[in-house]
């Protein structure tokens, strides 16, 4: 007699949670806080950090509109692939153009993969005070050009799934708001 164990696969719903906003808005900080909370609850989580993606997956791309679109599409492809396999994918990436973000959303919809857009709507004045990477100071000194939201466009989402004003709440409160949205949608 041969023993064949039954394989029981637990239904795990993945999702892409795209956090868009200006540089230094708090996207990555909120994503790391949320990732910790989701992992503690037993979710499989990946965080696709924009800086790491640019270094490895999108090396060689510049910051033209076309290159930014290509970068966002690459990230969107990887996010959907992971999410369709049961991973909660947190994407704290500026994605300054509405058409690029819409293309990523449509890709997820066509594959039946949950996608949530979170706009971290921190005013540019607050972002420039935070200036985590020194980009605003470099732009003001004329050392760099094309800073999103200053001398390069940022098209705010018109109807995000959630809008967070990070300057009015703690990181933990911001992450809790995203978690509440995931729970409301049956994803956490």
């Amino acid at each position: 007699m041969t023993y064949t164990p039954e394989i029981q696969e637990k239904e795990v719903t993945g999702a892409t949670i795209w956090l868009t906003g200006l540089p230094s808005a708090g996207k990555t900080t909120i994503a790391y806080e949320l990732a910790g909370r989701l992992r503690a609850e037993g979710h499989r989580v990946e965080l696709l950090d924009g800086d790491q993606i640019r270094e490895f997956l999108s090396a060689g791309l510049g910051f033209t509109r076309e290159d930014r679109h290509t970068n966002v599409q690459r990230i969107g492809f990887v996010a959907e692939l992971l999410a369709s396999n049961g991973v909660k994918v947190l994407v704290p990436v500026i994605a300054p153009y509405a058409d690029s973000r819409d293309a990523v959303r449509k890709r997820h919809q066509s594959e039946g993969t949950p996608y949530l857009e979170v706009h971290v709507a921190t005013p540019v004045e607050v972002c420039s005070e935070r200036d985590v990477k020194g980009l605003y100071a470099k732009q003001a000194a004329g050392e760099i050009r094309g800073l999103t939201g200053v001398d390069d466009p940022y098209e705010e989402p018109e109807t995000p799934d959630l809008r967070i004003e990070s300057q009015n709440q703690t990181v933990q409160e911001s992450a809790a708001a995203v978690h509440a949205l995931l729970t409301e949608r049956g994803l956490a």
Side-chain angles (χ1 to χ4, degrees), residues 31-131:
Y32 274 105
E33 180 70 24
L34 179 60
R37 183 172 179 170
L38 290 169
R39 285 185 182 114
E41 294 174 354
H43 296 277
R44 293 172 47 207
V45 179
E46 283 296 333
L47 197 145
L48 301 180
D49 180 86
D51 293 335
Q52 292 174 346
I53 295 292
R54 277 218 171 255
E55 183 179 349
F56 298 105
L57 186 62
S58 294
L61 288 180
F63 291 90
T64 64
R65 184 180 177 100
E66 183 179 284
D67 282 354
R68 288 176 190 236
H69 179 77
T70 299
N71 185 48
V72 168
Q73 297 316 296
R74 287 178 182 176
I75 297 167
F77 173 80
V78 172
E80 194 284 321
L81 183 65
L82 290 167
S84 69
N85 283 284
V87 178
K88 300 294 187 291
V89 185
L90 307 179
V91 186
V93 173
I94 296 168
Y97 303 111
D99 61 342
S100 295
R101 294 189 306 267
D102 289 344
V104 171
R105 180 184 292 273
K106 285 177 183 163
R107 172 179 196 78
H108 280 71
Q109 288 172 337
S110 73
E111 297 296 326
T113 306
Y115 176 89
L116 301 173
E117 182 178 73
V118 177
H119 179 207
V120 183
T122 310
V124 70
E125 301 79 25
V126 174
C127 294
S128 66
E129 287 174 18
R130 292 178 180 169
D131 204 10

Side-chain angles (χ1 to χ4, degrees), residues 2 23 30-31 41 44 57 137 152 157 171 178:
T2 308
I30 294 166
E41 294 174 354
R44 293 172 47 207
L57 186 62
D152 209 57
V171 172
V178 181

